[in-house]
Amino acid sequence: MHSIHFLLFLTLYFSLSFTVGVTAAGESSGAGENPFTPKGYLIRYWKKQISNDLPKPGFLLNKASPLDSVQFATFSKLADQNSLATHLPEFCAKANLLCFPDLTPSLEKHDGNVNFATYLNKNFTNYGSSRLGGVDSFKNYSDGDNIPVDTFRRYSRNSAGHNDKFTSYATNANVADQSFNTYGTTATGGVGDFSNYNTEVNVPNLRFTSYSDSGNGREQSFTSYTGQANAGDQKFTSYGKNANGAANVFTSYGKDSNVMGSGFTNYGESGNGANDSFTSYGTDTNVPENTFKNYGTNGNVPVETFKNYRDKSNVGDDNFQTYGKGSNAAAVDFENYGQSFNEGTDKFSSYGKDASGGTVGFKIYGVNNTFKEYTKKGVTFARYNESTSAAVTTASLAADSGKKVNKWVEPGKFFREEMLKGGNVMPMPDIRDKMPKRSFLPRVIVSKLPFSTSKLGEMKKIFHAGDDDSSMGKMLADSLSECERAPSPGETKRCVASVEDMIDFATSVLGRNVVVRTTETTQGHNSNIMIGKVKGINGGKVTKSVSCHQSLFPYLLYYCHSVPKVRVYEADILDPNSKSKINHGVAICHLDTSSWSPDHGAFIALGSVPGKIEVCHWIFENDMTWTIGD
C-alpha cells in the first residue's frame, strides 16, 4: 500500500481496536498488537504463510521493527521520497538501527593542561596545537561505549615539549570508529603515551592518517594496542615520515586478537635516526592480515626491531612491500618471525633494495614465506625454517609453550554426534551474540532501499557512511560482498532483511509446514555442561534445514542458506553438579563435510579431514535453524 494512502487509512481507522493474539508459552504476546504496526503485519503474515498451528517463535517476532503505526507511515513516506538520509538520527533511534553519530567539529582549543577523567564521542578539530610544554591526559576515553566515534583532526601539532597520555582508550567498546588525522605532526620533543588502546573491542576501525610526521625528537608509545580485539581493521597511513630522532614503541600490538587486519603505509619514510620497536606484534592471533608498504624507505641510520612477529598465530597473511628500500646505514632486526601454529603466507617484496651500509637480521623465521628482490649483502638468517613442515613446527611450538594447538577453536565449539547423549559432560563455547542490538526494518521500507554493490554510493549517503575507510562504509561493502558471492556447491542462499523475507526463503526450501528454533538462552557458556534429555527433530532422521546467521549491517540482516544432509537435535542442558536444567539447546550435525576446507576449525579441533566425520555445533544466540514441522 502506498505510504500516503496508508497514512489516510490510519487516520480513518486508528480508533478501531484489534487483537492479534500469540498465546503459547514462551512466545511474544501479540495481545492488543495494533495491526498497522510492522509487528502486527508480521503476525498476520506468519498465519497466512505457515500452514501449521505450532507456537509462534517469540525470539523471532521480537526482532520485528519497533515502529508504531504513525512512525511506520511517516518513514514509509520518507523512503518513497528518498528522504530518509535527511532524517537519519531520528530514523535510527525509532527503528532501533546501528548508525554512527554525526559529529560536529569542536572548536575548543584547551590552551592549558587538561585532565579528562571520563570522555565520550567528540570531534576535536584542533587539540593541543602549538602548545609549549604541559601535559594533557585522557583517563577513560569512550570506555565501554557501544558505538564510539571519535575524531582528532589536529592533535599536538607544532607543539614543543608537550606530553599526551591516554590511559584507557575505547576499552570494551563494541563497534569502534576512531580517527587521528594528524597526531604530533612537526612536534618537537614531548612524549605521547597510549596505555590501553581499544583493548577487547569488537569490530574496531582505527585510522591514524599522519602520525608523528616531520617531528623532532618526539617519543610515542603504545603499551597495549587492540589486544583481544575481534574482526576489525587498523591503519597507519603515514607514520614517522620525515621525522628526526623519533622513538616509537609498540609493546603489545594486536595480541590475542581474532581476524584483525593491520596496514602500515609509509612507515618511517625518509626519517633520520628513527628508533622503532615492536616487542610483540600480532602474537597469539587468529587469521591476521598485516600489510606494510614502504617501511623505512629512504631512511637515514634507522633502527627497526621486531622481537616477536605473529608468534604462535593461526594462519593469516602478511605482506611487506619495499622494506628498507634506499635506506642508509639501517639496522633492521627480526628476532622471531612467523612461528605460527598453523602456517600462514608471508611475502617480502623489495627487501633492503638499493640500501647501503645497513644490517638486516632474522634470528628465527617461519615457513611458507617468499622473498623477492632482497639485498644480497648484510642480511643474516640465523635460523630459517624453509624445510620445516607445518606439523613439526606446530608440535614443537605446542611443546615449548605448553598451550593447546587448538587455541583459536574454543572447546566445545565443534563436537561429534555421539556427544549428544544424556549424561555426557562437555564444554560449551561462548554462544553469546556479540553483534550490536538491532531490529529488522519493515518489508515495505526495506524494499525501497538500495541493496547492491552497484548502488553502494546511494547506500552510503543514506546511512552517512562518509569515506570508504569509515566503519559504516566497510560494513556496507563487506555485507554486500558476502550476500552477492556465488553459492558454494549444493548451497542455496539468500540475504534477508525482514522476517517476511526469511519466512519466504525458508518455506521455498522446506515447504509451508516449518518450525524455527534457537538455543533458549546463553546459560552454561564458557563452562562444562551436562546433556539431559535429547530429542531428534523429524524423528532424528537425516533431513535438511535452513540456517540463518547475522551480518553486521545498520538494520538486522541475516545470511540464510539451505543445509542438506543434517540431523537437528534439541537437548536439555544441565548443571553438571546440581543436575538441574539451566538451558534448552538446539544443535545441528552436518553429516557430509566432504566439501569443507581442510583448514576448517572443526578438523583442527576434532582431528580429522573433510568427508571422514560428521561435525556438530550449537545454534548460537540470535542465530536460528528452520526445519520441517514435527
Side-chain angles (χ1 to χ4, degrees):
M1 184 181 294
H2 193 279
S3 59
I4 296 176
H5 294 159
F6 183 48
L7 189 57
L8 291 172
F9 187 71
L10 289 177
T11 303
L12 289 171
Y13 293 100
F14 193 75
S15 61
L16 293 177
S17 174
F18 291 82
T19 299
V20 182
V22 184
T23 58
E27 299 176 60
S28 171
S29 175
E33 183 72 47
N34 188 317
F36 304 122
T37 63
K39 189 171 183 179
Y41 174 79
L42 170 59
I43 293 171
R44 295 197 305 277
Y45 194 81
W46 182 280
K47 288 184 174 182
K48 177 183 176 183
Q49 298 300 116
I50 307 299
S51 63
N52 60 57
D53 292 323
L54 295 170
K56 297 174 182 62
F59 76 89
L60 180 56
L61 298 184
N62 285 336
K63 300 180 190 302
S65 174
L67 294 175
D68 63 29
S69 54
V70 175
Q71 294 165 347
F72 181 24
T74 300
F75 290 122
S76 294
K77 182 178 180 180
L78 290 172
D80 274 339
Q81 299 170 342
N82 296 318
S83 299
L84 282 175
T86 59
H87 298 77
L88 186 64
E90 181 186 9
F91 180 48
C92 291
K94 300 294 185 183
N96 188 32
L97 309 184
L98 170 62
C99 299
F100 292 91
D102 293 327
L103 301 181
T104 56
S106 169
L107 301 180
E108 302 173 37
K109 292 185 177 180
H110 298 293
D111 294 326
N113 291 350
V114 177
N115 182 359
F116 289 93
T118 302
Y119 189 85
L120 188 66
N121 290 349
K122 200 167 187 179
N123 185 341
F124 278 106
T125 303
N126 196 335
Y127 187 95
S129 294
S130 303
R131 286 283 308 279
L132 298 177
V135 178
D136 291 319
S137 70
F138 290 80
K139 190 172 184 180
N140 293 296
Y141 190 96
S142 293
D143 279 3
D145 191 24
N146 184 40
I147 312 171
V149 179
D150 303 305
T151 298
F152 286 84
R153 193 163 300 279
R154 285 183 292 275
Y155 190 93
S156 292
R157 189 171 186 174
N158 296 322
S159 64
H162 181 232
N163 297 338
D164 315 306
K165 186 175 183 179
F166 289 82
T167 304
S168 181
Y169 190 103
T171 301
N172 293 313
N174 193 2
V175 181
D177 192 286
Q178 315 280 354
S179 174
F180 283 82
N181 284 19
T182 61
Y183 185 99
T185 301
T186 63
T188 299
V191 177
D193 180 17
F194 287 80
S195 296
N196 285 289
Y197 187 89
N198 279 263
T199 300
E200 296 184 358
V201 171
N202 186 36
V203 199
N205 183 25
L206 314 175
R207 303 180 299 284
F208 284 81
T209 304
S210 176
Y211 188 93
S212 289
D213 283 0
S214 302
N216 184 38
R218 182 170 172 83
E219 298 179 16
Q220 309 280 1
S221 69
F222 287 85
T223 305
S224 178
Y225 187 100
T226 60
Q228 300 175 54
N230 181 51
D233 293 283
Q234 49 215 6
K235 183 171 71 173
F236 287 81
T237 303
S238 182
Y239 188 102
K241 185 177 181 180
N242 296 320
N244 180 45
N248 301 305
V249 177
F250 285 84
T251 304
S252 178
Y253 185 98
K255 186 176 181 180
D256 290 313
S257 293
N258 182 43
V259 198
M260 284 289 291
S262 301
F264 283 81
T265 305
N266 297 320
Y267 184 96
E269 183 180 8
S270 301
N272 179 45
N275 190 339
D276 303 314
S277 69
F278 287 85
T279 303
S280 173
Y281 186 100
T283 301
D284 287 318
T285 54
N286 185 42
V287 199
E289 301 281 340
N290 303 309
T291 300
F292 286 80
K293 294 182 179 179
N294 297 326
Y295 188 102
T297 300
N298 297 321
N300 183 43
V301 202
V303 177
E304 312 286 359
T305 302
F306 283 83
K307 288 192 176 180
N308 284 291
Y309 186 93
R310 59 162 294 152
D311 192 31
K312 302 182 181 67
S313 292
N314 184 45
V315 298
D317 296 284
D318 294 300
N319 190 348
F320 282 80
Q321 299 177 21
T322 61
Y323 186 94
K325 183 178 180 180
S327 60
N328 177 47
V332 181
D333 186 19
F334 280 83
E335 293 190 13
N336 185 348
Y337 184 96
Q339 281 220 118
S340 305
F341 277 132
N342 293 288
E343 66 185 61
T345 301
D346 305 312
K347 180 181 179 181
F348 282 79
S349 299
S350 185
Y351 185 90
K353 187 178 181 182
D354 299 328
S356 61
T359 60
V360 180
F362 285 84
K363 289 187 178 179
I364 301 175
Y365 191 74
V367 298
N368 194 19
N369 305 287
T370 302
F371 280 87
K372 292 184 178 180
E373 299 181 27
Y374 67 94
T375 182
K376 302 297 183 183
K377 296 181 179 180
V379 179
T380 303
F381 295 92
R383 174 180 160 196
Y384 178 50
N385 292 332
E386 184 176 20
S387 60
T388 305
S389 70
V392 172
T393 303
T394 298
S396 63
L397 282 169
D400 291 342
S401 67
K403 295 182 179 180
K404 293 181 179 179
V405 175
N406 305 329
K407 169 184 173 155
W408 286 105
V409 183
E410 283 184 273
K413 186 172 183 178
F414 302 105
F415 52 89
R416 301 294 300 273
E417 195 172 15
E418 63 189 15
M419 291 302 298
L420 289 171
K421 292 180 180 178
N424 279 349
V425 175
M426 61 188 293
M428 174 173 271
D430 189 353
I431 64 171
R432 293 174 298 175
D433 177 18
K434 304 297 196 307
M435 292 277 192
K437 305 303 179 186
R438 295 150 295 150
S439 297
F440 280 112
L441 279 178
R443 185 187 229 175
V444 70
I445 293 180
V446 79
S447 64
K448 297 168 186 173
L449 299 179
F451 189 85
S452 70
T453 300
S454 63
K455 296 183 178 180
L456 181 57
E458 296 176 44
M459 297 173 66
K460 289 168 67 176
K461 287 180 181 178
I462 292 173
F463 292 105
H464 299 187
D467 58 37
D468 291 336
D469 284 334
S470 70
S471 292
M472 182 61 73
K474 290 178 178 292
M475 187 190 308
L476 296 173
D478 291 348
S479 292
L480 287 173
S481 176
E482 178 66 10
C483 289
E484 293 175 354
R485 71 162 177 81
S488 303
E491 179 189 38
T492 303
K493 60 186 278 285
R494 182 181 176 186
C495 284
V496 298
S498 70
V499 185
E500 295 91 336
D501 288 341
M502 187 184 287
I503 292 171
D504 288 350
F505 179 71
T507 54
S508 72
V509 174
L510 303 171
R512 295 179 60 199
N513 178 24
V514 292
V515 174
V516 60
R517 297 177 175 87
T518 191
T519 298
E520 195 170 276
T521 70
T522 62
Q523 288 288 346
H525 74 274
N526 284 344
S527 64
N528 284 334
I529 58 169
M530 177 178 284
I531 303 299
K533 182 180 178 181
V534 178
K535 173 189 174 184
I537 303 305
N538 300 148
K541 297 178 181 177
V542 178
T543 184
K544 61 181 177 179
S545 73
V546 170
S547 291
C548 296
H549 315 278
Q550 278 190 83
S551 297
L552 186 59
F553 211 67
Y555 46 84
L556 264 186
L557 180 73
Y558 274 82
Y559 177 94
C560 295
H561 60 145
S562 64
V563 186
K565 296 183 181 179
V566 299
R567 276 192 282 264
V568 180
Y569 293 91
E570 288 183 341
D572 286 339
I573 295 174
L574 314 179
D575 181 292
N577 297 316
S578 67
K579 309 297 190 297
S580 61
K581 180 181 175 181
I582 59 173
N583 201 347
H584 188 72
V586 177
I588 185 170
C589 294
H590 301 266
L591 306 181
D592 182 4
T593 60
S594 58
S595 63
W596 293 20
S597 167
D599 295 328
H600 194 287
F603 304 124
I604 296 174
L606 302 176
S608 189
V609 294
K612 295 295 184 181
I613 61 170
E614 84 294 340
V615 173
C616 305
H617 62 85
W618 297 106
I619 302 297
F620 281 27
E621 181 185 20
N622 287 324
D623 285 349
M624 63 197 80
T625 188
W626 296 73
T627 59
I628 297 171
D630 264 344

